[in-house]
Amino acid sequence: MLKWDHWHIEPSSICTLRCPRCPRAEIPESLLNRQLTLKFFKTQIGKDVIKQIRKITFCGNDGDPIYCREFLEICQWIKKINPDLELVIITNGGYKKLDWWQKLGSILTTRDTVHFSLDGYDNPSNSIYRHGSHFIDTIDAVRILRSHSECYMVWAAIAFKFNEDHLDYMQQLAHSIGMDSFQLTKSTKFGSKYPNEYGADDELEPTNPTLVASSHRFERVVTPLTSRKQPGSELKIEFQQRATQLGNYSGICLIGNKGVFLNSRGEFYPCCWTANRYPHNDTWQGRFNLNTQTFNEIINDSFWTTDFLNFDSLECQTKCTPERLADTAHTTEW
């Protein structure tokens, strides 16, 4: 059965940056800038469901959660309804006033995590991939949030050719501004993986092949910078236990670590991979929508116990193979 105690929610498909390998840039023709409202959370999801959710990861396939107009109000309402719920926020950290970060800090607790997506070591380098970013503004946001909250904070970087010789310095900088860990993502979106899309001579791909994902799913290396324990360890243990009980089924949506996905249009998916707007996902688009269906109607639909369990989509067959589910990192890391 689909596990839904972890939700991955895109509250906004709006973003201020122009990253070249984001779906916003690769398939702009089907992009719709939308955002969820506090009213949507209260009426379409509701208190009873929020009370049963154990973790919400705010991150967009297309956008950045902090550009949702009512994001602070949404976070505050969720934490009021379910104080024990773990919030994870993935953001580029730009274009918000410092008092906004102070307010966010007053909402978040030691159960919560904020990932700041920074791929550079200064403004010119960070702008190579994250076009339009203001590196110093994000660093200031980190410092303000650190001074107003005990939430866990992560410097989240993607390995590229332009930063591969500066990763040690980036870790040192992360530590100096109060980050708790440094997360390095090894991406798949390079020419060695997809030569037709990115070319055999990919200017962004690291020269060190060990900094490129070995399979069709990204890989991560996390380096602790403080002695603080990252929230959510009890859930990881449970995710791994669920993985051992899958039998012949291969989807990590049956574990919960990736999270069921809700996009900024209210569409509900088993994971964010199936929600990406690439042509191979066309059959998934708009199948379920919380604007027109209740959550109980969606989760109790016979689809989840019949056709869904074939796991025959491209995303399922490349990212959720039985072999991959034998990998602990694959079954416990978001």
Side-chain angles (χ1 to χ4, degrees):
M1 180 61 181
L2 191 70
K3 298 297 183 184
W4 56 271
D5 47 357
H6 173 203
W7 285 47
H8 172 188
I9 300 178
E10 176 188 59
S12 165
S13 57
I14 301 165
C15 189
T16 58
L17 306 190
R18 302 178 303 279
C19 305
R21 292 185 186 173
C22 172
R24 293 182 66 85
E26 294 187 322
I27 39 176
E29 62 278 2
S30 58
L31 175 65
L32 295 172
N33 284 325
R34 297 287 187 270
Q35 57 186 303
L36 301 177
T37 64
L38 177 60
K39 181 179 178 181
F40 177 92
F41 276 81
K42 288 182 174 181
T43 60
Q44 305 308 116
I45 299 176
K47 292 182 180 180
D48 291 342
V49 173
I50 292 295
K51 288 177 181 178
Q52 297 179 69
I53 297 175
R54 301 166 67 183
K55 176 181 179 180
I56 292 178
T57 298
F58 282 124
C59 178
N61 272 2
D62 293 312
D64 192 306
I66 69 172
Y67 305 124
C68 171
R69 188 177 296 109
E70 295 184 302
F71 185 66
L72 292 177
E73 291 83 355
I74 290 168
C75 291
Q76 189 170 41
W77 179 76
I78 289 171
K79 297 296 282 188
K80 181 180 180 180
I81 299 303
N82 187 349
D84 293 330
L85 185 147
E86 176 190 350
L87 284 183
V88 179
I89 299 168
I90 317 292
T91 179
N92 66 62
Y95 297 94
K96 285 292 184 183
K97 294 181 179 179
L98 295 184
D99 65 341
W100 189 93
W101 292 103
Q102 293 178 14
K103 292 173 183 176
L104 179 63
S106 70
I107 297 169
L108 303 181
T109 70
T110 55
R111 294 193 61 81
D112 307 317
T113 302
V114 181
H115 292 240
F116 286 90
S117 300
L118 291 161
D119 303 320
Y121 44 92
D122 56 18
N123 197 65
S125 60
N126 199 57
S127 298
I128 292 174
Y129 180 71
R130 298 193 181 271
H131 298 177
S133 64
H134 287 192
F135 184 81
I136 298 303
D137 288 351
T138 302
I139 297 299
D140 287 342
V142 171
R143 289 186 168 125
I144 290 295
L145 184 60
R146 177 76 299 155
S147 66
H148 286 81
S149 177
E150 295 185 2
C151 68
Y152 192 91
M153 295 201 299
V154 180
W155 181 309
I158 302 172
F160 290 109
K161 182 184 292 186
F162 64 81
N163 67 15
E164 62 182 318
D165 294 328
H166 300 271
L167 297 177
D168 288 342
Y169 172 77
M170 291 164 66
Q171 284 192 34
Q172 293 169 11
L173 180 56
H175 180 264
S176 71
I177 61 175
M179 295 288 200
D180 294 296
S181 65
F182 182 85
Q183 173 186 281
L184 183 66
T185 295
K186 302 178 182 182
S187 178
T188 64
K189 286 195 166 188
F190 294 123
S192 62
K193 293 288 183 183
Y194 303 102
N196 291 336
E197 286 79 6
Y198 306 121
D201 189 20
D202 185 355
E203 293 184 354
L204 286 175
E205 182 164 354
T207 58
N208 182 349
T210 65
L211 294 177
V212 179
S214 60
S215 69
H216 285 281
R217 184 194 178 183
F218 59 78
E219 299 166 358
R220 288 180 174 141
V221 178
V222 178
T223 303
L225 302 176
T226 68
S227 60
R228 298 184 66 201
K229 187 176 181 181
Q230 186 164 1
S233 58
E234 71 283 356
L235 268 179
K236 287 188 176 183
I237 294 172
E238 191 161 337
F239 292 153
Q240 184 58 27
Q241 291 173 341
R242 291 175 183 176
T244 65
Q245 301 166 359
L246 285 181
N248 295 325
Y249 298 127
S250 60
I252 58 173
C253 47
L254 302 183
I255 300 172
N257 66 309
K258 192 64 182 168
V260 293
F261 183 67
L262 177 69
N263 72 14
S264 61
R265 299 187 297 279
E267 295 173 352
F268 183 90
Y269 296 85
C271 71
C272 64
W273 292 322
T274 56
N276 265 319
R277 294 177 293 106
Y278 296 107
H280 63 258
N281 278 333
D282 284 349
T283 58
W284 284 103
Q285 306 305 313
R287 182 186 292 269
F288 299 110
N289 194 311
L290 272 170
N291 284 303
T292 57
Q293 300 162 279
T294 68
F295 177 65
N296 283 334
E297 287 173 341
I298 291 174
I299 206 66
N300 291 317
D301 192 285
S302 61
F303 168 75
W304 303 111
T305 55
T306 53
D307 293 348
F308 172 67
L309 295 178
N310 291 324
F311 297 110
D312 54 2
S313 76
L314 176 64
E315 297 293 348
C316 300
Q317 292 182 354
T318 56
K319 294 184 174 70
C320 291
T321 63
E323 293 77 17
R324 293 292 288 152
L325 288 176
D327 180 353
T328 300
H330 186 79
T331 54
T332 59
E333 295 296 334
W334 183 76

